[in-house]
Amino acid sequence: MLKIINFKDYEKDLDIAINYYYKKWGNNNFHFFNDAIRNSSNGNEGLPRFYLLLENDEIIGCGSLVTNDFISRHDLMPWLAGLFIEEEKRGKELGNYIMNFLEKEAMKIGFSCIYLTTNHNGYYEKYGWTRINDGFELSGEPTRIYKKIL
């Protein structure tokens, strides 16, 4: 059985959830992710929000809504970030399953569109995302920005 839960509602241990996310997205910045997740929202308002995708209570993916995804465009938000599906679970539309959930969460707190940044080509377009322009990562490298009207 699949379910999506807020990190703070993970019954096993918040530290396990934080370590999972960090192993997928961190790079010598554990304290950043630890602090961001521990101080994230688990209510009906506010950002950031971090979620786990569970299958039979095993973590198989994650995703989040954040105010900025390490990109120069601070004028845009919220950002869908940290989308990850375990490799052996890919090909089953689980990424889209998380995206749909995050889109509904963004609408619940009053947003009419959502953004993401990626260097993947073709994946997000098939789920209704439109490339709007480029921004810059912290490294100075350009990256694509996508938008989806909710």
Side-chain angles (χ1 to χ4, degrees):
M1 180 173 102
L2 289 176
K3 66 180 174 178
I4 298 174
I5 63 166
N6 189 291
F7 270 52
K8 291 183 173 181
D9 295 328
Y10 186 53
E11 292 178 359
K12 290 186 180 177
D13 190 334
L14 181 58
D15 289 331
I16 293 171
I18 292 168
N19 283 317
Y20 179 86
Y21 197 90
Y22 175 71
K23 286 178 184 174
K24 305 309 178 194
W25 297 109
N27 183 18
N28 297 320
N29 54 359
F30 175 79
H31 297 296
F32 175 89
F33 285 108
N34 183 51
D35 192 47
I37 292 168
R38 286 187 187 282
N39 291 292
S40 64
S41 174
N42 68 342
N44 291 322
E45 54 189 52
L47 294 172
R49 294 168 177 235
F50 294 87
Y51 296 95
L52 295 170
L53 174 61
L54 304 176
E55 182 177 57
N56 301 320
D57 295 323
E58 176 189 344
I59 301 173
I60 62 166
C62 59
S64 60
L65 289 174
V66 297
T67 56
N68 186 274
D69 192 15
F70 303 108
I71 187 167
S72 58
R73 294 298 305 273
H74 291 261
D75 58 313
L76 306 174
M77 77 170 181
W79 293 84
L80 186 150
L83 181 64
F84 184 84
I85 302 296
E86 291 295 332
E87 192 169 342
E88 67 273 9
K89 300 295 182 177
R90 294 179 187 168
K92 301 175 183 177
E93 299 287 318
L94 297 177
N96 189 44
Y97 182 72
I98 294 176
M99 284 191 284
N100 285 331
F101 177 87
L102 294 172
E103 291 162 14
K104 289 175 187 166
E105 289 297 298
M107 285 190 296
K108 282 183 196 174
I109 55 175
F111 292 101
S112 59
C113 63
I114 191 170
Y115 301 89
L116 66 82
T117 177
T118 187
N119 287 320
H120 290 290
N121 193 16
Y123 178 76
Y124 294 99
E125 292 88 342
K126 67 183 179 179
Y127 297 111
W129 293 83
T130 303
R131 184 174 178 187
I132 58 170
N133 57 27
D134 289 349
F136 294 92
E137 296 176 345
L138 288 173
S139 66
E141 292 295 314
T143 185
R144 297 179 183 125
I145 297 174
Y146 288 81
K147 178 180 182 178
K148 187 170 186 181
I149 303 295
L150 303 175

